[in-house]
């Protein structure tokens, strides 16, 4: 057995390592590996930490909401792109060892990209608080390729195996035994990392690579290599505008716009990224040797995360984003310079006049975002005041809030009066997921995507992704709503 003594494996009394510990160690090991592979990532981590430290010093009290500086600075997400359904199936089992399950379905065909995606992440509140490591995971959709290209991609990927025998064995052990021992967990991390590493030897000839590249650079990245190299690791920054400016001042070539809502709005997430590196690659020349070439796929991204929006808030967000995109396209016609200079201001203008809530407080009052509620010190001692509210809550008429995720009017009124009396505090629920429009922007600006092929093939296919996953992808609205409802029951149901 790979690096695991049989004595250990057979000992039923061996302690099992908590999943969050494996996740935390894995996320750190991945970060150390990526620092070596993409040195600019390491520089950015330093900058992010500096900005976060300053931000926390200027906003004391934030630690309650966000956790310590160490905790925030350790937070990150990664992204990989897989080629075959079996790869996704095994990847789902691999992430499951670390307590990460698929959440969300992202259809990228709407942006002419031949992939669809989900994100693996922990879902329980406590698990998220310990380490919310997420991996945005895409699967190639060969059904969106023309027949000839599909055949070439399938030929290249057919006998590819991206997992080591050791990691497969440890995944089996985890499933059979319900966990891993400390030694097995360390072996698992080392073996799993092999899948995410950059291999500079391609699987296909340079000619085949170029053929893929002409159709879609995303396809070339997925179908030409030995593994799904991690293509970015994204730290969480607390002031993305400060960061964007710093990157530009340092001469780092960023994408022209910060993706997501305009700066200052405490909703969803904002992201920026620097362009992919050019990495030398060795392509087999068919004569037992190699020829040297180049590939561009791995980049850096930084994000700022805020409050998760309910469907009714998301609807407004989507509408305004679409509007921003249209006006952005107009700006682009006047040139890249004009676009860079004016995009941010244009988008802010749209949100200023049309997004109804500017602060977390307003988001809560209008029931546009998710919040959890907790008793304050006063709430814990003043039980009389609470008894009344509990009685009123029990007797409330059960009306629907108007849509799936809204709270009913009476519950909102009861909570509001408890907040006003200082008995209850509302804490915004952080958005733990991704934005399809931003994702498409991130994919594209880093790939020189030139797909002309998929134009007619736009279609979403959640069932296909879930079949490959071997299980359904969770619904993030359901997860956020359950968190909110549970916190209300804890206060008012007692
Ligand atoms: C994934 C792009 C999506 C994000 O943060 O929205 C993403 C990729 O390029 O593979 O990571
Ligand atoms: Ni990302």
């Amino acid at each position: 057995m790979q690096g695991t003594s049989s004595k250990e494996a057979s000992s039923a009394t061996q302690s099992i390592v908590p999943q969050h510990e494996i996740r935390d160690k894995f996320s750190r090991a991945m970060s150390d590996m990526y620092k070596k592979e993409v040195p600019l990532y390491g520089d950015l981590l330093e900058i992010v930490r500096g900005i976060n430290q300053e931000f926390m010093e200027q906003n004391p009290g934030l630690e309650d909401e966000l956790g310590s500086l160490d905790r925030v600075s350790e937070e990150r997400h990664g992204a990989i792109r897989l080629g075959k359904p079996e790869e996704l199936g095994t990847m789902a089992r691999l992430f499951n060892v670390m307590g990460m399950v698929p959440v969300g379905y992202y259809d990228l065909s709407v942006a002419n990209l031949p992939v669809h995606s989900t994100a693996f992440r922990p879902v329980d509140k406590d698990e998220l608080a310990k380490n919310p490591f997420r991996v945005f995971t895409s699967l190639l959709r060969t059904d969106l390729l023309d027949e000839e290209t599909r055949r070439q991609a399938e030929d290249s990927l057919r006998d590819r195996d991206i997992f080591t025998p050791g990691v497969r064995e440890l995944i089996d052990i985890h499933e059979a035994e319900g966990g891993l021992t400390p030694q097995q967990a360390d072996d698992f991390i080392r073996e799993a990392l092999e899948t995410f590493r950059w291999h500079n030897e391609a699987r296909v000839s340079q000619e085949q690579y170029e053929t893929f590249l002409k159709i879609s650079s995303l396809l070339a990245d997925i179908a030409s290599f030995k593994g799904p190299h991690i293509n970015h690791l994204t730290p969480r920054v607390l002031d993305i505008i400060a960061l964007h400016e710093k990157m530009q001042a340092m001469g780092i070539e960023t994408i022209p716009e910060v993706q997501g809502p305009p700066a200052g709005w405490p909703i969803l997430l904002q992201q920026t990224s620097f362009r992919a590196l050019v990495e030398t690659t060795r392509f087999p020349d068919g004569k037992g040797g190699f020829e040297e070439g180049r590939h561009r796929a791995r980049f850096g991204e930084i994000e700022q995360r805020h409050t998760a929006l309910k469907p009714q808030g998301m609807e407004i967000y989507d509408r305004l984003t679409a509007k921003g995109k249209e006006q952005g396209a107009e700006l682009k016609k006047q040139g890249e310079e004009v676009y860079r200079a004016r995009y941010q201001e244009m988008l802010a203008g749209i949100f200023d006049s049309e997004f109804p809530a500017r602060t977390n407080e307003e988001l809560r009052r209008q029931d546009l975002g998710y919040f959890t509620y907790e008793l304050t010190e006063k709430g814990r001692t003043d039980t009389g005041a609470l008894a009344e509210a509990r009685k009123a809550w029990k007797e409330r008429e059960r009306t629907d809030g108007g849509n799936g995720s809204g709270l009913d009017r009476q519950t909102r009124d009861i909570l509001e009066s408890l907040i006003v009396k200082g008995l209850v505090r509302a804490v915004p629920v952080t958005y733990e997921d991704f934005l399809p429009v931003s994702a498409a922007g991130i994919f594209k600006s880093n790939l020189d995507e030139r797909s002309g092929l998929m134009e007619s093939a736009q279609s979403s296919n959640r069932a296909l992704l879930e079949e490959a996953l071997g299980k359904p992808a969770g619904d993030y609205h359901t997860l956020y709503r359950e968190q909110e409802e549970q916190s209300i029951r804890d206060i008012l149901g007692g």
Side-chain angles (χ1 to χ4, degrees):
M1 181 174 312
Q2 196 86 17
T4 317
S5 82
S6 53
K7 195 172 126 230
E8 239 170 15
S10 62
S11 161
T13 53
Q14 272 276 332
S15 62
I16 293 287
V17 183
Q19 288 181 308
H20 69 84
E21 264 179 51
I22 308 182
R23 183 167 70 248
D24 196 52
K25 271 195 177 170
F26 179 76
S27 154
R28 283 170 205 263
M30 181 100 99
S31 183
D32 289 341
M33 179 176 88
Y34 204 59
K35 257 185 232 170
K36 287 186 200 127
E37 292 182 346
V38 182
L40 195 48
Y41 163 74
D43 299 346
L44 271 180
L45 279 189
E46 297 290 312
I47 298 171
V48 165
R49 203 186 160 86
I51 291 178
N52 288 355
Q53 181 163 7
E54 204 170 301
F55 195 84
M56 282 202 151
E57 280 163 11
Q58 283 163 6
N59 298 274
L62 258 191
E63 286 209 7
D64 281 353
E65 216 174 279
L66 297 171
S68 68
L69 176 65
D70 282 340
R71 154 75 177 69
V72 173
S73 303
E74 268 308 313
E75 178 169 342
R76 60 182 79 89
H77 83 249
I80 53 170
R81 305 152 182 172
L82 303 172
K84 295 189 285 191
E86 309 87 89
E87 292 175 350
L88 183 61
T90 305
M91 196 54 88
R93 296 172 56 214
L94 185 153
F95 282 130
N96 196 39
V97 173
M98 300 183 270
M100 296 158 74
V101 297
V103 178
Y105 175 77
Y106 302 90
D107 170 23
L108 277 309
S109 74
V110 294
N112 287 328
L113 298 168
V115 293
H116 50 184
S117 320
T118 188
F120 288 93
R121 67 167 176 90
V123 290
D124 289 345
K125 201 174 172 214
D126 296 347
E127 287 292 312
L128 285 163
K130 282 173 183 141
N131 187 322
F133 185 52
R134 332 162 172 82
V135 179
F136 191 89
T137 305
S138 302
L139 176 63
L140 178 66
R141 281 185 65 183
T142 48
D143 62 314
L144 298 186
L145 304 174
D146 69 76
E147 222 176 291
E148 174 60 13
T149 311
R150 182 185 318 151
R151 197 186 50 72
Q152 291 172 9
E154 283 169 357
D155 277 354
S156 163
L157 292 167
R158 186 164 300 116
D159 61 351
R160 172 170 100 163
D161 187 357
I162 60 173
F163 301 100
T164 65
V167 85
R168 285 183 185 276
E169 196 172 341
L170 287 157
I171 292 170
D172 287 342
I173 292 174
H174 163 84
E175 287 172 358
E177 311 283 326
L180 298 179
T181 64
Q183 181 60 55
Q184 288 167 345
D186 285 346
D187 293 342
F188 170 82
I189 291 165
R190 195 188 60 242
E191 296 281 332
L193 264 190
E194 288 305 307
T195 300
F196 299 88
R197 185 182 296 292
W198 167 250
H199 301 270
N200 75 343
E201 255 171 46
R203 279 174 67 80
V204 299
S205 68
Q206 182 138 15
E207 195 190 343
Q208 175 67 74
Y209 171 81
E210 298 289 344
T211 307
F212 286 148
L213 199 63
K214 271 191 207 111
I215 290 156
S216 152
S217 39
L218 190 52
L219 171 66
D221 184 50
I222 295 172
S224 310
F225 296 92
K226 289 185 170 170
H229 35 258
I230 181 94
N231 70 54
H232 64 281
L233 267 185
T234 301
R236 179 172 175 185
V237 73
L238 299 176
D239 183 352
I240 196 151
I241 293 300
L243 181 97
H244 197 76
E245 279 163 7
K246 196 146 196 167
M247 280 168 76
Q248 280 175 344
M250 287 169 70
I252 301 174
E253 191 187 347
T254 61
I255 56 173
E257 70 287 78
V258 171
Q259 302 274 334
W265 292 81
I267 56 175
L268 303 169
L269 77 162
Q270 290 133 352
Q271 301 176 313
T272 185
S273 58
F274 68 76
R275 254 173 83 75
L277 314 173
V278 175
E279 286 169 295
T280 49
T281 308
R282 285 148 51 88
F283 293 96
D285 63 6
K287 296 178 233 142
F290 291 94
E291 42 180 339
E292 204 172 286
R294 259 163 283 284
H295 181 58
R296 197 191 255 278
R298 285 137 38 92
F299 59 97
E301 179 190 54
I302 300 91
E303 67 191 358
Q304 186 170 9
R305 289 188 173 261
H306 306 278
T307 309
L309 291 183
K310 292 186 172 181
Q312 57 270 36
M314 204 71 169
E315 218 173 275
I316 309 173
Y317 171 79
D318 285 342
R319 184 162 50 76
L320 301 189
T321 305
K323 198 167 177 176
K325 242 186 141 184
E326 260 169 47
Q327 295 189 11
E330 288 303 311
L331 284 179
K332 264 191 190 146
K333 285 184 192 156
Q334 298 170 47
E336 173 83 10
E337 286 289 294
V338 176
Y339 181 74
R340 266 191 192 260
R342 307 230 318 254
Y343 172 82
Q344 237 47 263
E345 204 184 315
M346 176 278 291
L347 192 67
I350 295 176
F351 274 71
D352 277 337
S353 55
E354 296 184 54
F355 199 88
R358 189 74 180 75
T359 60
N360 272 317
E361 166 117 13
E362 287 168 3
L363 285 173
R364 192 191 77 241
R365 285 178 188 276
Q366 297 177 49
D367 204 24
L368 294 174
Y370 292 99
F371 290 82
T372 55
Y373 298 87
E374 53 189 47
L375 292 176
T376 59
E377 191 56 42
K378 189 172 165 209
R380 277 195 291 274
T381 43
D382 193 350
T383 41
L386 230 60
E388 223 173 279
R390 284 178 179 153
K391 188 158 170 276
W393 194 64
K394 217 176 190 169
E395 287 165 5
R396 80 193 186 284
E397 290 166 44
R398 311 241 165 191
T399 51
D400 185 2
N403 57 63
S405 288
L407 291 175
D408 63 83
R409 187 75 245 171
Q410 277 171 294
T411 300
R412 284 167 61 190
D413 289 347
I414 294 167
L415 287 168
E416 211 52 48
S417 79
L418 292 174
I419 290 171
V420 170
K421 287 182 194 145
L423 302 168
V424 163
R425 171 173 48 230
V427 182
V429 176
T430 300
Y431 189 60
E432 304 288 353
D433 295 284
F434 295 86
L435 296 170
V437 177
S438 298
I442 300 273
F443 268 112
K444 286 196 164 178
S445 44
N446 284 290
L447 281 163
D448 295 332
E449 188 64 36
R450 61 191 123 213
S451 152
L453 175 86
M454 264 65 68
E455 206 81 52
S456 58
Q458 297 184 359
S459 67
S460 104
N461 198 337
R462 186 177 187 127
L464 196 68
L465 187 89
E466 292 185 336
E467 193 186 303
L469 276 172
K471 55 177 150 187
D475 174 55
Y476 45 75
H477 282 297
T478 305
L479 292 166
Y480 295 129
R481 190 175 63 234
E482 280 169 3
Q483 250 189 66
E484 182 173 86
E485 286 175 355
Q486 181 60 46
S487 77
I488 295 171
R489 271 196 303 276
D490 287 349
I491 290 179
L492 294 175

